[in-house]
Amino acid sequence: STPQLVSMLLMVVLGLGFGFSSIAFTISVQEVVSRNQRGAATASLQFSRSVGGSLGVGVMGAILAFRMQPLLNSQNFGGGSVASALLDPKARSVLTPDALALLQQGLAETLHIIFLLMVGAAIVGFACTLMFPRGKIKAPSASQVPAAPGALPSETGTPAKE
């Protein structure tokens, strides 16, 4: 019942928010580790995002399948998936109008539950960000920056000794 334009605008806002927060999280992780550990820290962050995304998609897909399979079975649509039952014209033509309406209503209700779970996950994530330590990141002084192997003294930020 939500207009398509409203849905599109909300998705744009979510996409922008996730995009900007992704950059902020990456920079904050990189700034709290030493320079020679930044690659490992960034890789760990990306790995955690991938695993979290995979788990989230898996859990949400399981909820969808768990809630929709009884509806499919009640309509004698055995062996098919919700997607094929609702999106494939050939599979949809087998369903009666009442069965199609029942499946569409069931899918809408299940997606509503899934979106509410995602809102809960977003709130938990926001609460976690509020627990981040406060303060400004201090730039390291020239004496704290490690020299690259084989670098000349003038390249390390320290004056050359003669």
Side-chain angles (χ1 to χ4, degrees), residues 27-108:
I27 291 171
S28 65
V29 164
Q30 290 175 344
E31 289 298 319
V32 297
V33 297
S34 64
R35 189 178 191 118
N36 62 348
Q37 294 177 329
R38 283 187 183 165
T42 304
S44 296
L45 176 67
Q46 290 301 103
F47 178 74
S48 298
R49 280 186 189 150
S50 295
V51 169
S54 296
L55 287 174
V57 168
V59 167
M60 301 306 165
I63 291 170
L64 180 68
F66 181 76
R67 297 260 313 172
M68 291 303 294
Q69 196 58 49
L71 288 175
L72 288 171
N73 292 341
S74 73
Q75 299 304 314
N76 296 323
F77 196 77
S81 70
V82 176
S84 65
L86 295 175
L87 299 177
D88 181 24
K90 197 178 269 189
R92 197 173 48 233
S93 68
V94 175
L95 298 170
T96 65
D98 289 339
L100 183 61
L102 178 68
L103 289 176
Q104 288 172 334
Q105 181 65 30
L107 181 62

Side-chain angles (χ1 to χ4, degrees), residues 78-134:
S81 70
V82 176
S84 65
L86 295 175
L87 299 177
D88 181 24
K90 197 178 269 189
R92 197 173 48 233
S93 68
V94 175
L95 298 170
T96 65
D98 289 339
L100 183 61
L102 178 68
L103 289 176
Q104 288 172 334
Q105 181 65 30
L107 181 62
E109 290 172 4
T110 303
L111 289 176
H112 184 76
I113 291 168
I114 289 172
F115 275 92
L116 289 176
L117 288 172
M118 292 302 297
V119 167
I123 290 170
V124 168
F126 181 71
C128 288
T129 60
L130 293 177
M131 292 186 277
F132 278 9
R134 302 270 191 266

